[in-house]
């Protein structure tokens, strides 16, 4: 029995000890394949309606796996009609036909995989177009104003105003009289003469040589991707022409004859018309056109950026023109300037030296070999009549050129854009670019000899231009659709009849989201940064690109390695261009990305915002997940101590073993002269072995206990069998 027990004990101990070598110690590197089973949720994203006309529309979307395509659509959220394609794919397109013109439709996309996973979009809408040539909106502007009379002696006009009966708010300044909201379809009326006399509410303007009238904006819901557009005119006259009633019509697309005239105008400028969004027709304009001043007529027209993306080559606003078809048969392409966006609406200006007639908002493409054109971009700084620089200013078309404000006939120099860091330059070669012009109507700036910046803000003029101004203690918040400026003053700002002024203590800029299409879907970028001062003639450019930039990746890799991590993948890069502005830190940058990309790259904890400063220093920013946007994209926010330059949304991966393993420390040498050190080291090694293999050790002990118990029971039974045999032998 004793021999059997000894043999079994030795075998059990041997198995327990040697089997420990079959499992690695904790922290040791291992390799192999882990198989994970489960189902990845199906996502529907990048949903849009395009190619919309009077009776058709195309619905497109993407999924993160092969699935079929179904669109439910109708005039209510009950839909009622469906169109299905059972082809399994990740890019989906459904064409809806036989729709009613000028009708608002609701739609919803549904995709389903072979195994039953499905995704359903929220309710979305689009509006079909009315037939080309349909009048969508009308308005009128009349040039007879209450409390106003005009006389002409020897060709010199005098205008008299009775302020008690004149509509609107009248302001007299030297030889200029400006009336805000004079009525009759006009938002502003300005007289300029050789002399102004104000006698107890009776104002006389002698020697009239300039009358400028700015119309109220006319809006029209055009449907499709054109959106709800706005049209406005500034008319510069040499004298007041009373008794004229202008009729204005906003028309869907263009009639056949007008479209033909627009194409002839484009052909003369070596262009082709690819689409006409709408036509603006003015009637009863003969007397006004006969008395035009040097500035002529300036048109302000808008169109949704979705229409630009769909119809202008490259989705480029520089491929949009305002065309003119004159009453005398003149056909011309006007010098057209993109002046910024309000929400999704892109705004354009064009000067018509020949006056009012029929105009078209059109997308154009080069008809011959491309011509290299460098547009001049500057910022309006005055309410004076606009003049153009950088291109032909007489007749016909030509490239889009910059728009500046006339100020004592001196052109404002074009701001220089500083050269980018060598690692930053390649990012701007391709991608979606949004430029925010940081100009505020009615804002003027001065700097004292001591370097203190002082501002003066005409809130009436600013708010008339769509700016919202609010004052709270020492903070003036100036909000526009593209950006918000928060100006903190050293003392409580002065507010005298709507003219706010003060000494600048600090300035903060917050930009509206700038959108860009990437391989991971539509994303947006917004910025929030302190600035050294209120900028003048400034602009900020945001370029979103998913093009690979090896130098940038190498720079980020160095920053990641300092945190025992490495860059897993880059969703996209963002380059911030700054013109005539100085930003300081810390700046906040907000980037979005589709949940599919995040899921495929380690989940939310793996996502970081990387930064490369203007001086080329890379960093991985502290990044917070803040929720989802209205497109169901995930939103991440990072704080950049060094301000704005280049950012990238990346996924991070821990270096192999870095999360567990620490730098190796050599084992202490055993002392042959101190037996207690030997015992402590043996005990320490044994303890580490037991902790690293606790399950194995416990299992071995249980097996040993069971085997010993079995041996004991076996020996006891054997002993009982031997006792009867002994008695028989006796």
């Amino acid at each position: 029995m004793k021999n059997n027990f000894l043999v079994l004990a030795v075998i059990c101990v041997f198995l327990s000890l040697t089997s420990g070598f079959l499992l690695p110690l904790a922290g040791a590197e291992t390799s192999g394949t882990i198989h994970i089973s489960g189902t990845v949720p199906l996502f529907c994203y990048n949903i849009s309606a395009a190619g919309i006309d009077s009776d058709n529309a195309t619905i497109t979307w993407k999924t993160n796996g092969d699935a079929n395509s179904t669109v439910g659509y109708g005039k209510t959220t009950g839909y009622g009609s469906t169109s299905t394609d059972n082809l399994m794919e990740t890019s989906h397109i459904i064409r809806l036909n036989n729709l009613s013109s000028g009708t608002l439709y609701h739609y919803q996309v549904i995709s389903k995989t072979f195994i039953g996973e499905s995704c359903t979009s929220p309710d979305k809408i689009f509006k079909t177009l009315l037939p080309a040539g349909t009048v969508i909106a009308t308005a009128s502007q009349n040039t007879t104003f209450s409390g106003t009379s005009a006389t002409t002696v020897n060709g010199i006009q005098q205008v008299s105003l009775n302020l008690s009966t004149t509509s609107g708010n009248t302001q007299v300044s030297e030889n200029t009289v400006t009336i805000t909201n004079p009525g009759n379809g006009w938002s502003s009326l300005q007289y300029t003469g050789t002399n102004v006399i104000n006698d107890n509410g009776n104002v006389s303007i002698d020697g009239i040589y300039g009358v400028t009238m700015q119309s109220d904006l006319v809006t029209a819901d055009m449907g499709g991707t054109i959106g709800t557009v706005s049209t406005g005119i500034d008319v510069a006259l040499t004298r007041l022409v009373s008794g004229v009633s202008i009729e204005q019509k906003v028309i869907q697309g263009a009639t056949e004859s007008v479209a033909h005239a627009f194409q002839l105008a484009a052909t003369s400028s070596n262009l082709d018309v690819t689409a006409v969004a709408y036509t603006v027709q003015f009637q009863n304009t003969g007397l006004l056109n006969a008395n035009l001043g040097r500035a002529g007529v300036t048109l302000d027209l808008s169109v949704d950026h979705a229409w630009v993306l769909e119809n202008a080559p490259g989705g480029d606003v520089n491929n949009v023109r305002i065309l003119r078809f004159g009453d005398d048969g003149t056909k011309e392409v006007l010098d057209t300037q993109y002046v910024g966006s309000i929400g999704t609406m892109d705004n354009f200006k064009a000067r018509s030296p020949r006056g009012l007639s029929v105009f078209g908002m059109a997308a154009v493409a080069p008809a011959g070999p491309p011509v290299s054109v460098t547009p001049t971009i500057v910022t309006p700084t005055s309410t004076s009549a606009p003049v153009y620089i950088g291109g032909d200013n007489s007749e016909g078309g030509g490239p889009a050129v910059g728009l500046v404000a006339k100020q004592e006939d001196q052109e404002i120099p074009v701001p220089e854009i500083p050269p980018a860091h060598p690692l930053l330059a390649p990012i701007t070669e391709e991608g979606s670019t949004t430029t925010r012009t940081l100009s505020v109507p009615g804002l003027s700036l001065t700097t004292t000899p001591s370097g203190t910046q002082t501002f003066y803000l005409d809130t009436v003029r600013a708010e008339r231009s769509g700016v919202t101004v609010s004052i709270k203690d020492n903070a003036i918040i100036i909000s526009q659709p593209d950006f918000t400026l928060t100006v903190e003053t050293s003392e409580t700002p002065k507010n005298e009849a709507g003219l706010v002024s003060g000494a600048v203590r600090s300035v903060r800029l917050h930009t509206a989201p700038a959108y860009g299409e990437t391989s991971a879907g539509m994303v947006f970028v917004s910025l929030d940064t302190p600035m050294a001062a209120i900028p003048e003639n400034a602009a900020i450019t945001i370029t979103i690109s998913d093009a690979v930039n090896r130098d940038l990746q190498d720079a980020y890799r160095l920053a990641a390695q300092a945190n025992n991590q490495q860059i897993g993948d880059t969703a996209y890069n963002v380059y911030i261009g700054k013109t005539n502005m100085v930003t300081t830190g810390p700046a906040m940058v907000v980037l979005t990305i589709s949940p599919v990309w995040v899921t495929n790259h380690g989940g939310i904890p793996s996502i970081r915002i990387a930064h490369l400063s203007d001086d080329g220093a890379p960093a991985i920013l502290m990044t917070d997940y803040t929720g989802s946007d209205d497109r169901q994209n995930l939103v991440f926010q990072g704080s950049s101590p060094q301000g704005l330059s280049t950012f990238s949304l990346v996924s991070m991966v821990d270096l192999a073993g870095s999360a567990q393993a620490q730098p190796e420390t050599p084992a202490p040498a055993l002392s042959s002269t101190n037996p207690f050190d030997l015992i402590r080291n043996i005990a320490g090694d044994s303890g580490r072995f037991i902790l690293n293999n606790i399950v194995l050790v416990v299992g071995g002990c249980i097996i040993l206990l069971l085997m010993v118990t079995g041996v004991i029971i076996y020996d006891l039974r054997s002993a009982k069998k031997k006792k009867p045999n002994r008695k028989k032998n006796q």
Side-chain angles (χ1 to χ4, degrees):
M1 173 179 174
K2 292 182 178 179
N3 292 335
N4 291 338
F5 175 77
L6 180 61
V7 171
L8 289 173
V10 170
I11 291 173
C12 290
V13 172
F14 175 77
L15 290 174
S16 298
L17 293 176
T18 57
S19 61
F21 294 101
L22 299 177
L23 294 178
L25 295 176
E29 295 186 3
T30 62
S31 63
T33 302
I34 299 175
H35 297 279
I36 300 175
S37 63
T39 301
V40 177
L42 188 69
F43 290 97
C44 296
Y45 61 100
N46 283 9
I47 304 164
S48 66
I52 303 169
D53 55 30
S54 60
D55 57 358
N56 300 288
T58 299
I59 311 300
T60 62
W61 71 98
K62 293 183 179 181
T63 53
N64 58 321
D66 289 334
N68 66 6
S69 309
T70 298
V71 174
Y73 63 98
K75 298 177 184 179
T76 68
T77 53
Y79 308 118
S81 300
T82 59
S83 181
T84 299
D85 183 351
N86 287 319
L87 181 64
M88 295 291 178
E89 54 191 351
T90 57
S91 295
H92 307 266
I93 180 169
I94 293 288
R95 181 71 169 168
L96 306 180
N97 301 309
N98 301 318
L99 304 176
S100 300
S101 65
T103 302
L104 183 70
Y105 279 89
H106 294 259
Y107 73 97
Q108 183 180 63
V109 305
I110 305 169
S111 286
K112 192 172 185 179
T113 67
F114 281 117
I115 62 174
E117 286 291 317
S118 65
C119 61
T120 302
S121 76
D123 177 70
K124 293 181 174 292
I125 60 173
F126 66 85
K127 184 179 180 181
T128 53
L129 307 182
L130 287 166
T134 303
V135 176
I136 306 299
T138 60
S140 63
Q141 292 88 24
N142 194 291
T143 61
T144 299
F145 300 98
S146 61
T148 303
S149 61
T151 57
T152 301
V153 178
N154 296 326
I156 299 175
Q157 188 181 59
Q158 180 188 66
V159 173
S160 299
L161 306 176
N162 184 342
L163 300 188
S164 63
T165 58
T166 299
S167 299
N169 181 28
T170 303
Q171 292 183 332
V172 179
S173 176
E174 298 181 351
N175 64 335
T176 299
V177 176
T178 303
I179 304 176
T180 305
N181 297 322
N184 295 345
W186 303 99
S187 63
S188 177
L189 172 62
Q190 186 177 80
Y191 301 98
T192 305
T194 57
N195 185 41
V196 175
I197 300 173
N198 187 352
D199 183 14
N200 295 324
N202 292 311
V203 177
S204 175
I205 307 107
D206 298 330
I208 290 287
Y209 61 86
V211 177
T212 302
M213 300 182 295
Q214 183 180 66
S215 74
D216 293 330
L217 291 178
V218 178
T219 60
D221 182 2
M222 309 302 296
T225 56
I226 303 170
T228 300
V229 304
S230 62
T231 66
I233 55 173
D234 288 0
V235 182
L237 303 172
T238 57
R239 66 186 186 91
L240 177 62
V241 181
S242 301
V244 175
S245 180
I246 304 171
E247 297 296 327
Q248 179 181 350
K249 297 177 181 179
V250 182
I251 301 169
Q252 189 87 65
T255 63
E256 185 175 348
S257 59
V258 171
H260 179 66
F262 286 161
Q263 180 55 56
L264 292 177
T267 300
S268 67
S269 297
N270 201 31
L271 297 170
D272 281 328
V273 176
T274 60
V276 177
Y278 60 93
T279 303
V280 185
Q281 182 182 37
F282 295 91
Q283 296 175 317
N284 303 330
T285 60
L287 283 176
L288 295 184
N289 289 344
N291 290 276
L292 285 178
R294 186 177 62 175
V297 173
T298 300
L299 295 104
D300 293 275
L301 307 183
S302 70
V303 69
D304 198 292
H305 188 61
W307 183 88
V308 177
L309 291 174
E310 186 176 300
N311 294 280
D316 190 350
V317 293
N318 292 314
N319 290 323
V320 175
R321 297 287 191 279
I322 297 175
L323 311 177
R324 180 179 184 270
F325 181 25
D327 296 339
D328 58 357
T330 303
K331 308 167 187 69
E332 54 187 328
V333 180
L334 301 181
D335 291 336
T336 306
Q337 167 69 25
Y338 166 70
V339 294
S341 299
I342 298 178
T344 62
M345 303 303 294
D346 292 341
N347 298 289
F348 299 86
K349 278 185 181 291
R351 187 171 71 91
S352 174
R354 302 184 185 215
L356 297 169
S357 54
V358 178
F359 303 92
M361 171 66 81
V364 299
V371 179
S372 176
V373 177
T374 303
T376 304
I377 305 174
V378 291
T379 305
T381 59
S382 167
T383 57
S384 302
V387 296
Y388 291 77
I389 62 174
D392 182 9
N393 193 30
S394 55
E395 299 179 11
V401 296
L403 173 68
V404 303
K406 181 181 178 184
Q407 189 173 3
E408 298 181 354
D409 297 325
Q410 297 295 318
E411 295 178 352
I412 300 174
V414 179
E416 293 285 339
I417 299 178
H421 188 276
L423 292 182
L424 309 183
I427 301 175
T428 63
E429 292 180 355
E430 54 182 289
S432 303
T433 299
T434 302
T435 299
R436 311 290 195 197
T437 302
L438 305 180
S439 61
V440 178
L443 178 67
S444 59
L445 304 169
T446 60
T447 303
T448 66
S450 62
T452 301
Q453 187 182 49
T454 303
F455 72 92
Y456 299 87
L457 177 60
D458 184 345
T459 59
V460 174
R461 179 184 166 195
E463 291 173 352
R464 190 171 63 236
S465 301
V467 181
T468 301
V469 181
S470 59
I471 302 174
K472 184 177 181 181
D473 299 328
N474 286 26
I476 299 95
I477 303 171
I478 306 168
S479 299
Q480 300 197 64
D482 283 349
F483 66 92
T484 297
L485 279 178
T486 302
V487 181
E488 184 178 353
T489 56
S490 302
E491 299 177 351
T492 302
K494 297 180 181 178
N495 189 348
E496 299 176 351
L499 182 63
V500 179
S501 62
V504 176
R505 179 178 180 181
S506 66
V507 182
R508 193 165 194 93
L509 168 69
H510 176 78
T511 68
Y515 290 89
E517 184 70 39
T518 71
S519 58
M522 182 68 73
V523 301
F524 80 68
V525 177
S526 66
L527 309 169
D528 190 286
T529 180
M531 295 193 296
I534 300 176
E536 294 186 84
N537 298 330
I540 187 166
T541 301
I542 303 172
T543 298
I544 303 172
S545 171
D546 56 8
V548 176
N549 186 307
R550 298 297 181 190
D551 291 334
L552 193 59
Q553 289 179 340
D554 289 343
Y556 290 155
R557 189 175 296 113
L558 294 176
Q561 288 174 352
N563 296 329
N564 285 326
Q565 292 181 307
Q566 62 185 9
I567 304 296
D569 199 359
T570 300
Y572 57 92
N573 304 312
V574 181
Y575 173 71
I576 310 299
K578 305 179 287 288
T579 303
N580 291 341
M581 59 181 292
V582 178
T583 63
T584 58
M588 299 300 296
V589 57
V590 174
L591 309 181
T592 68
I593 191 65
S594 76
V596 177
W597 193 92
V598 174
T599 300
N600 293 338
H601 291 82
I604 291 173
S606 299
I607 306 304
R608 295 290 187 276
I609 297 175
H611 176 231
L612 188 70
S613 65
D614 286 333
D615 59 5
I620 307 299
L621 304 182
M622 293 293 295
T623 305
D624 295 318
Y625 165 66
T626 61
S628 302
D629 65 4
D630 56 2
R631 296 172 180 263
Q632 285 76 52
N633 280 349
L634 305 187
V635 181
F636 294 89
Q637 176 179 284
S639 176
S640 173
Q642 294 182 295
L644 302 177
S645 52
T646 294
F647 300 92
S648 301
L649 191 73
V650 302
S651 63
M652 305 295 292
V653 178
D654 287 336
L655 291 173
S658 64
Q660 297 87 11
Q662 299 297 326
E664 294 184 1
T665 303
L670 299 180
S671 173
S672 57
T673 60
N674 189 344
F676 295 105
D677 289 340
L678 177 61
I679 294 171
R680 278 195 297 269
N681 279 289
I682 293 174
D685 291 339
S686 300
R688 282 190 293 272
F689 173 81
I690 292 171
L691 289 175
N692 290 334
N693 301 276
I694 185 67
V695 175
L696 180 63
V697 171
V698 172
C701 291
I702 293 172
I703 293 171
L704 178 60
L705 179 61
L706 292 174
M707 294 182 70
V708 170
T709 303
V711 170
I712 294 172
I713 294 172
Y714 175 79
D715 286 341
L716 289 175
R717 288 181 178 179
S718 297
K720 289 180 180 180
K721 290 180 180 180
K722 290 179 181 180
K723 287 181 180 180
N725 292 334
R726 290 176 183 174
K727 291 179 179 180
K728 290 179 181 180
N729 292 334
Q730 292 176 354

